[in-house]
Amino acid sequence: MLGNLLVSTLMSASVYAMLAVGFSLTFGVARIINLAHTAFYMVASYIIFTATMKMGLPLYVGVVAAVSLVVLLAMVTYKVLVDPMREHETTVLILTIGVALVLQELMFLWFGGYFRSVPTAVEGFTTLLGVRVSYQYVLTICVLIVTLALVWLLLMKTRLGLAIRATAQDREIANVMGMSDSRTATITVGIAAALAAIAGAIVAPLFIIEPRIWLSPLTVVLAISVLGGLGSLKGSILGAVIIALSENLVVFLVPQGAFFKGAFSLLIMIVVLLIRPEGLYGVAFEEER
Amino acid sequence: MLLAVKNLTVCYDTAMLLNDVSLNVATGELVGVVGPNGAGKTTLLRTIAGLVRWERECKRGTKAGNITIDGEIHFDGQRIDKLPPDEIARRGLVLCPERRRPFRELSVLDNLRAGAYLVKDHRVFQQSLESVYTMFPILKARAGQVSGTLSGGEQQMLAIARALMTQPKLLCIDEPSTGLSPKIRAELFAKIREIAKSGLTVLLVEQDVSLAFSLSTRNYILSHSKVMAEGTSDELMKDEKVRQSYLGLAGPASA
Ligand SMILES: Nc1ncnc2c1ncn2[C@@H]1O[C@H](COP(=O)(O)OP(=O)(O)OP(=O)(O)O)[C@@H](O)[C@H]1O
Ligand SMILES: [Mg+2]
């Protein structure tokens, strides 16, 4: 029981962290709230589905295709639609939710509303903490955690990471130091999309794929951002763990809990907004004029 | 001329922040720009560094983006007023901004690394790191500390050190003395003198006229968006009208 709780919390926490970190980076550097973020995750699942089930390609080819196509899609959407509107915050919100809905409808059009699934990469089970866990599950968690660690290394140890962190603090001064903020923002949008795509691609074999699977992760990502503090990486990861843990606790402890685990993250969001609107690690941008 | 600003006029919507400002800085000079609050000094430096144009690009389509910039800015023989700020930085013009603005959540060392963003050669980076550490030993001691927690004086040293890490040809400093005690001010200005002595060209905006004049080779007095006077510190100090109207000093020059 405890083992079950831990394993499934670890799983949701790492998926949520992947999504929330990208969402948060995009907010910090490009200064936009991208409500289409989890739609990229959904699109990635469909690309995996097409590659493996329709075209019969191996899973890893599907993953590579999903990540590259989604990154391209995200960067083009950002440059063409969002960037010109960046100063109009409300417009960006409407625009990005519009993009998400368009992508959803396209998937309905092309694939129908059926529940799809894709094959697992590995077969078999192992026992972890007294729980029977499939190798696919273990593999997925490992890939997610390794990816998060790589992102952390990218941010902390590379020149690009330095530009991303500096731009997230103060766009003007980053520019003065020779870091083009528009270039950094576009790259960051790409990285965020890659994280969403990897999450979507890697968990696809474990979950059902259908055109609306972006909606509940979006709620969760918003809840995490409110809880952790929008724009904070530490906050995103901690928020992901807290939300994942509480969702799983609800599922395990409350009868029929699975039905309101989504409502639970919304509840957390509302409570945080009421008592600590800036979240755990609120980020204040250096004031620009 | 290393920097030549020609007939620069900047309007934010209907407010004229700079009115036909012309200014020159030759290689090796330390030029002071002094003037009262709201004169347009910061706007001048921000325009030179490309930030006003950048701001207009960012805010295009909104009321705040209704900014007009007229005139020309030449740096190191090339026109830079149409360039984005990162490109201007690449040419060797750096701004040490008003209010210091360290990257608050980054460590001192990461701030210095950010300054050296365009420096690709690791040896050059190490050398300039050594030299700013020699100039400001406190930064070495605080290298791992998050810069937002530094004291005001330390933050100002960091801001100057970060600007020096870019290997600039022209260092523009905006009001380094704000909020510092007289002792720290004197120390800081000694460092700026040292920087200028080492051969770096400096454009220094400062409210504290006597401090600025003690360092500068030449000065401009900016008031109400306009250049009101220009000259060496001695010339300006002797000019009765300048003393009374712009420097807030009454009576004849004693020195
Ligand atoms: N974004 C803006 N829109 C409209 N007016 C502005 C804007 N930014 C600054 N101003 C105004 O322009 C004038 C000049 O500002 P600036 O900051 O350049 O002055 P300053 O000489 O640096 O003053 P201080 O010594 O106080 O730093 C001020 O009256 C200021 O209120
Ligand atoms: Mg100023």
Side-chain angles (χ1 to χ4, degrees):
Chain A
M1 159 78 205
L2 188 65
N4 253 321
L5 179 67
L6 280 179
V7 170
S8 72
T9 300
L10 196 57
M11 179 72 174
S12 348
S14 38
V15 174
Y16 293 166
M18 290 279 281
L19 291 171
V21 163
F23 184 80
S24 194
L25 277 177
T26 308
F27 176 75
V29 177
R31 307 287 160 94
I32 55 159
I33 293 183
N34 179 13
L35 296 179
H37 187 61
T38 53
F40 294 140
Y41 156 93
M42 179 269 291
V43 171
S45 311
Y46 271 103
I47 296 175
I48 282 281
F49 170 73
T50 312
T52 56
M53 303 303 282
K54 295 255 154 112
M55 300 165 72
L57 298 167
L59 190 64
Y60 71 91
V61 177
V63 174
V64 172
V67 173
S68 21
L69 289 174
V70 166
V71 167
L72 193 68
L73 173 70
M75 282 166 96
V76 170
T77 313
Y78 173 70
K79 269 289 165 201
V80 176
L81 294 176
V82 182
D83 191 35
M85 294 291 147
R86 191 156 78 171
E87 285 303 304
H88 305 266
E89 285 160 22
T90 329
T91 315
V92 169
L93 292 179
I94 297 169
L95 195 70
T96 54
I97 201 88
V99 168
L101 288 169
V102 166
L103 291 172
Q104 170 189 308
E105 292 310 307
L106 284 176
M107 296 307 136
F108 267 119
L109 211 64
W110 292 334
F111 300 97
Y114 310 107
F115 287 8
R116 309 286 195 168
S117 58
V118 303
T120 55
V122 284
E123 299 289 325
F125 289 87
T126 181
T127 308
L128 264 186
L129 304 162
V131 193
R132 230 166 83 93
V133 190
S134 72
Y135 280 126
Q136 180 69 30
Y137 214 91
V138 177
L139 178 72
T140 306
I141 292 179
C142 290
V143 171
L144 292 174
I145 290 177
V146 167
T147 311
L148 284 170
L150 287 176
V151 171
W152 190 84
L153 281 179
L154 171 82
L155 288 172
M156 294 303 164
K157 300 287 172 203
T158 68
R159 198 164 163 267
L160 173 64
L162 182 64
I164 291 176
R165 285 183 295 141
T167 308
Q169 290 276 300
D170 191 324
R171 277 196 296 172
E172 275 192 5
I173 304 307
N175 268 296
V176 167
M177 299 298 140
M179 306 158 173
S180 156
D181 76 305
S182 64
R183 184 172 154 268
T184 312
T186 312
I187 296 175
T188 305
V189 166
I191 293 174
L195 291 179
I198 292 171
I202 208 81
V203 301
L206 297 172
F207 294 146
I208 292 296
I209 303 171
E210 58 109 1
R212 272 169 309 217
I213 52 167
W214 61 279
L215 203 51
S216 83
L218 180 63
T219 324
V220 171
V221 165
L222 291 174
I224 291 172
S225 304
V226 168
L227 174 61
L230 198 49
S232 161
L233 288 179
K234 254 188 301 184
S236 307
I237 292 182
L238 189 64
V241 173
I242 295 175
I243 299 264
L245 183 63
S246 36
E247 275 191 5
N248 280 292
L249 276 175
V250 172
V251 175
F252 278 94
L253 297 181
V254 182
Q256 310 281 309
F259 289 106
F260 36 78
K261 75 171 202 194
F264 200 73
S265 45
L266 282 173
L267 183 68
I268 293 181
M269 179 155 98
I270 292 167
V271 171
V272 175
L273 281 175
L274 287 175
I275 57 181
R276 195 178 157 84
E278 75 278 20
L280 297 171
Y281 300 99
V283 170
F285 293 127
E286 187 61 28
E287 187 203 345
E288 289 161 0
R289 20 161 273 176
Chain B
M1 278 304 143
L2 184 61
L3 177 75
V5 175
K6 295 178 186 165
N7 309 101
L8 187 65
T9 299
V10 172
C11 300
Y12 274 65
D13 206 11
T14 55
M16 194 180 273
L17 272 59
L18 291 177
N19 183 356
D20 199 24
V21 170
S22 295
L23 162 154
N24 291 313
V25 182
T27 307
E29 274 192 304
L30 192 159
V31 172
V33 176
V34 297
N37 289 112
K41 304 180 297 294
T42 299
T43 308
L44 174 63
L45 290 195
R46 278 170 47 84
T47 315
I48 293 172
L51 289 176
V52 172
R53 194 167 171 278
W54 173 83
E55 183 182 356
R56 183 175 69 184
E57 287 300 303
C58 277
K59 295 183 176 162
R60 77 192 108 100
T62 68
K63 190 163 183 301
N66 188 12
I67 303 172
T68 52
I69 308 167
D70 281 315
E72 292 183 11
I73 304 171
H74 295 256
F75 177 66
D76 207 11
Q78 280 164 321
R79 209 172 150 177
I80 58 165
D81 48 291
K82 299 280 191 290
L83 296 179
D86 61 297
E87 194 52 50
I88 294 175
R90 206 160 276 135
R91 310 271 165 116
L93 191 160
V94 72
L95 172 68
C96 177
E98 191 175 42
R99 294 183 292 115
R100 298 146 197 156
R101 291 168 72 169
F103 298 114
R104 304 190 71 85
E105 284 176 30
L106 270 56
S107 68
V108 168
L109 182 57
D110 277 346
N111 268 274
L112 297 175
R113 286 202 183 104
Y117 180 74
L118 293 175
V119 178
K120 296 259 167 62
D121 187 337
H122 191 71
R123 278 213 338 272
V124 177
F125 167 76
Q126 280 300 340
Q127 279 166 9
S128 45
L129 191 64
E130 283 308 312
S131 75
V132 299
Y133 277 167
T134 314
M135 182 171 285
F136 304 111
I138 188 78
L139 296 182
K140 188 170 190 178
R142 300 257 190 273
Q145 188 174 328
V146 171
S147 64
T149 60
L150 295 176
S151 75
E154 289 162 355
Q155 288 190 10
Q156 186 61 58
M157 292 178 206
L158 177 60
I160 293 178
R162 180 180 62 183
L164 290 176
M165 292 298 289
T166 65
Q167 307 280 323
K169 291 181 188 145
L170 174 65
L171 171 63
C172 303
I173 312 182
D174 197 348
E175 297 209 19
S177 74
T178 314
L180 304 182
S181 71
K183 181 169 166 286
I184 304 283
R185 276 185 193 205
E187 272 178 40
L188 201 70
F189 273 71
K191 299 293 184 190
I192 295 175
R193 187 196 298 271
E194 203 179 301
I195 291 167
K197 278 258 166 62
S198 77
L200 183 60
T201 314
V202 179
L203 180 59
L204 174 68
V205 162
E206 185 48 63
Q207 287 235 25
D208 189 326
V209 178
S210 58
L211 266 181
F213 281 14
S214 70
L215 292 189
S216 57
T217 43
R218 225 153 41 78
N219 307 279
Y220 290 86
I221 293 179
L222 200 66
S223 182
H224 295 91
S225 320
K226 277 186 156 163
V227 174
M228 298 296 187
E230 180 199 339
T232 65
S233 307
D234 288 344
E235 283 165 12
L236 292 174
M237 276 308 209
K238 280 183 195 129
D239 186 323
E240 198 55 37
K241 182 168 165 284
V242 167
R243 282 175 65 83
Q244 287 188 3
S245 322
Y246 306 119
L247 304 182
L249 304 167
S254 51

